[in-house]
Amino acid sequence: MNASCLWKLKKWKFSRKHAEIFRGCLIPTRDYLCPVKLPRPRINSFCPTSQVHQRIMSPVDYAKKVAAIKAIDEYIKDNYIIGVGSGSTIVYAVERLAQRVKDEKLHVVCVPTSYQARQLIVNHKLQLGDLDIYPKLDCAIDGADEVDANMTLIKGGGGCLTQEKIVASCAKQFIVIGDESKESQKLGEKYKKGIPIEVIPMAYCPVQQKVEALFGGSAELRMAKMKAGPLVSDNGNFILDWKFPDSQFDWASVNTTIKMIPGVVETGLFVNMASKVYYGMADGSVREHKLQ
Ligand code: 5RP
């Protein structure tokens, strides 16, 4: 960083809060240091139709945010025990939850689905819980990689599928949030990376071969980024991404069959679990999907 940038940085009193509000925006990092080019953000505004938000966030992030806000506003009540999902959309949900807890003096307990979720809960000074103390949750909120017309989900793009499924399974209501790009008629239409399968490391080769022999396609070992070798999940396992062939699958039966393969810990197929899905749009509206 050169001297002129440092001067600008000091002048603007660049704070962590400012950095937070710009997360996901399209403006290159160096422009954060040039206040003359940007509107000053309204840090405490959560108005979903705020012009400021629309200007400084990418349309996809804005869509995620409006979905997250609506879900938190409609589902969270005082004294709730809440499952907190993982990914980028849940960040907006936790921000909104923290805002409501502060403004409305709500008492809620948050059960995380990953280290990421745990950090979010702690950083927002929300009460952290776990399934030992709270095995029954009022509600769980999470993102998804894809949601089909039957509300079957692919989850685990962020590698947190196992804890996400456990937490969702303990909740009376499982609420899914995402931008409209997550909605599809048929799984695989939108999300092209395949169905994540968490496996015990020593079993990844046999599981790979068995899944491919049973259903076709290819099950690829997910590799880490910024670390050599396979990605290691929060549970110390590997993840296979099964790119399935384009055919008619009965996902409930596929899920059960894969889970029966020795070495499989969990699949990213969430069948008959979601109670409601909120899809945010770039124009600030939110479409809701609930099965009758
Ligand atoms: C992580 C997940 C996420 O919920 C899913 O990948 C969606 O993430 P995002 O909100 O970033 O689109 O399943 O394991």
Side-chain angles (χ1 to χ4, degrees), residues 60 64 85-91 113-114 116 142-146 154-162 164 177-179 181-182 191 196 222 239 268 270:
V60 171
K64 289 177 182 181
S86 309
S88 56
T89 316
I90 200 69
V91 174
T113 55
S114 60
Q116 180 223 359
D142 204 344
D145 299 300
E146 189 170 10
I154 296 181
K155 285 190 51 58
C160 311
L161 56 146
T162 300
E164 288 173 339
I177 51 178
D179 65 274
S181 73
K182 306 294 176 77
Y191 188 67
R222 192 182 296 184
I239 292 182
F270 285 47

Side-chain angles (χ1 to χ4, degrees), residues 46-58:
F46 271 100
C47 172
T49 50
S50 155
Q51 290 298 310
V52 175
H53 278 227
Q54 267 177 308
R55 274 209 302 274
I56 64 176
M57 297 181 93
S58 75

Side-chain angles (χ1 to χ4, degrees), residues 109-175:
V109 177
C110 297
V111 176
T113 55
S114 60
Y115 287 130
Q116 180 223 359
R118 191 182 192 282
Q119 282 181 329
L120 273 175
I121 294 164
V122 171
N123 290 345
H124 284 82
K125 300 189 171 33
L126 292 163
Q127 189 181 333
L128 183 69
D130 61 31
L131 295 178
D132 296 358
I133 305 169
Y134 303 101
K136 287 188 182 155
L137 312 179
D138 295 294
C139 174
I141 300 195
D142 204 344
D145 299 300
E146 189 170 10
V147 185
D148 76 7
N150 298 316
M151 282 170 45
T152 298
L153 319 178
I154 296 181
K155 285 190 51 58
C160 311
L161 56 146
T162 300
Q163 293 188 38
E164 288 173 339
K165 204 185 262 189
I166 295 168
V167 169
S169 76
C170 296
K172 280 187 208 142
Q173 311 178 90
F174 175 41
I175 309 306

Side-chain angles (χ1 to χ4, degrees), residues 259-274:
K259 280 203 71 169
M260 290 308 291
I261 301 172
V264 169
V265 176
E266 192 49 88
T267 84
L269 278 168
F270 285 47
V271 187
N272 294 326
M273 292 187 78

